[in-house]
Amino acid sequence: MEKRLSHFLNYISVEKGLSKNTIESYERDIKKYISYLKEQDIDFANTTRKEIISYLLYLNKAGLSPASAARNIVALRSFYKFLLSEKEFSSDPTENIESPKKWQRLPKTLGYDEIERLINHNKGSDPSGIRDDAMIELLYASGLRVSELVSLKMSNVNLEAGYLITIGKGKKERIVPIGEVALGKIQKYLFSGRAGLLKGRASDYIFVTWSAKPMTRQGFWKLIKKYAKEAGIKKPISPHTLRHSFATHLLEHGADLRAVQMMLGHSDISTTQIYTYVTRERLKKVHSEYHPRR
């Protein structure tokens, strides 16, 4: 089984060009599935649709989020299709299995007042504070994934034209516009903050630490949680919360769904459509609270 998995991981890396993070996620999910089969004394070679459904029920009982369960089934579907192409299976047991994404909870977002409090919160006037302010503003203004944010290089941003180029999932390149406020904060950081962090050292990355190394996802995660707490935001927050808020607020203000899809880098518009449900739920809540004949 290890040999099969190794061949599959090499295939999705070389042939499919999937990102390192995606490959690592697939590997974890498939190994978890294989462990489950062993615990249930089920031979992998004899797995059918029944075993897949049982596994999804197991994940649900274990408290796995619908989004994570959906990622699991995507990993398994890819693995079985690979084995099918290698003639190791005669049929795909994941075929016609409903994606758990259809069961998913609505993404958590921040309200406009919470966004204002987070963005306007004083993060300090030293180089790291100026950097943090620019990063948080840019994340909300662009809807980037945190991995895309920390991977930005100087060559990726066009300050004059007001846009950036990022490489998303599947190594797909996309152009994302930068708002005037975010652009101003980036310029302030580049001209009066970044040099103080680098102290004469060189780096291709835009957002760097005091050691002149690129900011990490984990490092930025800790920063955004710290500032949210200081700003009095009670909701659990992560960098992805700002991505969700970016998409939801755009749609609430009448943005075209296809345009939001392009800015987020979603390959399938059905992924973007989840945000339309968020706006509907918010409208229903407003109506319930304020309509005189509710």
Side-chain angles (χ1 to χ4, degrees):
M1 180 53 66
E2 288 184 6
K3 189 175 181 181
R4 286 175 175 173
L5 181 56
S6 177
H7 287 169
F8 168 70
L9 296 174
N10 183 64
Y11 166 73
I12 60 175
S13 173
V14 177
E15 300 293 333
K16 304 291 285 186
L18 299 188
S19 69
K20 181 182 177 183
N21 289 338
T22 300
I23 294 168
E24 289 176 351
S25 294
Y26 277 28
E27 182 177 11
R28 284 195 302 270
D29 293 342
I30 294 169
K31 283 183 175 179
K32 185 191 299 182
Y33 172 65
I34 292 171
S35 295
Y36 165 80
L37 293 179
K38 287 181 179 178
E39 289 172 5
Q40 301 297 315
D41 197 26
I42 299 170
D43 184 359
F44 181 87
N46 297 325
T47 50
T48 65
R49 176 186 171 86
K50 178 183 175 182
E51 280 70 45
I52 302 295
I53 293 174
S54 296
Y55 181 61
L56 288 176
L57 291 173
Y58 162 78
L59 294 178
N60 184 46
K61 288 180 181 178
L64 203 68
S65 72
S68 296
R71 191 196 63 222
N72 270 263
I73 195 63
V74 168
L76 294 180
R77 188 172 284 134
S78 298
F79 189 39
Y80 276 111
K81 283 184 178 179
F82 170 75
L83 295 176
L84 194 63
S85 69
E86 295 290 304
K87 311 297 183 185
E88 294 195 38
F89 267 75
S90 58
S91 62
D92 180 4
T94 66
E95 190 174 10
N96 298 321
I97 295 286
E98 184 181 275
S99 172
K101 273 193 173 181
K102 295 182 180 180
W103 318 330
Q104 70 183 347
R105 295 185 294 270
L106 297 180
K108 302 297 182 184
T109 64
L110 296 180
Y112 300 114
D113 60 326
E114 292 169 318
I115 285 288
E116 288 294 323
R117 277 165 30 212
L118 178 62
I119 286 177
N120 295 329
H121 175 69
N122 184 8
K123 302 170 186 69
S125 57
D126 66 328
S128 62
I130 297 172
R131 174 203 63 203
D132 298 346
D133 194 36
M135 291 185 78
I136 290 174
E137 183 75 51
L138 178 59
L139 197 62
Y140 175 63
S142 62
L144 292 177
R145 300 177 179 92
V146 65
S147 57
E148 296 168 348
L149 178 72
V150 298
S151 299
L152 282 176
K153 295 184 178 180
M154 296 296 292
S155 58
N156 295 138
V157 177
N158 189 319
L159 296 176
E160 292 183 4
Y163 70 84
L164 61 84
I165 298 174
T166 185
I167 308 297
K169 289 185 176 180
K171 296 183 180 179
K172 293 180 180 178
E173 181 180 283
R174 71 182 190 278
I175 297 175
V176 181
I178 307 172
E180 288 185 13
V181 177
L183 195 60
K185 289 188 177 182
I186 293 171
Q187 289 173 326
K188 179 180 178 181
Y189 163 67
L190 292 178
F191 297 125
S192 62
R194 187 171 179 271
L197 293 168
L198 288 174
K199 294 180 181 178
R201 295 165 293 188
S203 176
D204 293 332
Y205 292 91
I206 293 179
F207 298 112
V208 295
T209 64
W210 286 106
S211 62
K213 295 180 179 178
M215 172 66 71
T216 63
R217 292 181 300 160
Q218 295 83 356
F220 184 65
W221 185 296
K222 291 178 182 177
L223 286 173
I224 202 169
K225 288 177 74 71
K226 176 176 84 80
Y227 290 128
K229 184 177 180 180
E230 291 174 358
I233 297 171
K234 304 299 183 183
K235 293 178 181 175
I237 187 172
S238 71
H240 223 64
T241 308
L242 292 191
R243 178 171 161 88
H244 291 323
S245 302
F246 161 82
T248 303
H249 295 170
L250 277 178
L251 291 169
E252 285 180 343
H253 283 80
D256 178 73
L257 188 63
R258 288 285 182 186
V260 176
Q261 177 194 4
M262 290 176 65
M263 284 186 276
L264 290 174
H266 288 160
S267 57
D268 189 340
I269 198 167
S270 64
T271 308
T272 317
Q273 283 176 327
I274 187 64
Y275 297 107
T276 64
Y277 298 115
V278 178
T279 60
R280 289 175 197 167
E281 289 298 313
R282 190 168 291 175
L283 286 173
K284 284 165 62 178
K285 183 178 179 182
V286 170
H287 182 276
S288 175
E289 289 182 1
Y290 298 108
H291 194 278
R293 295 182 64 83
R294 63 183 181 276

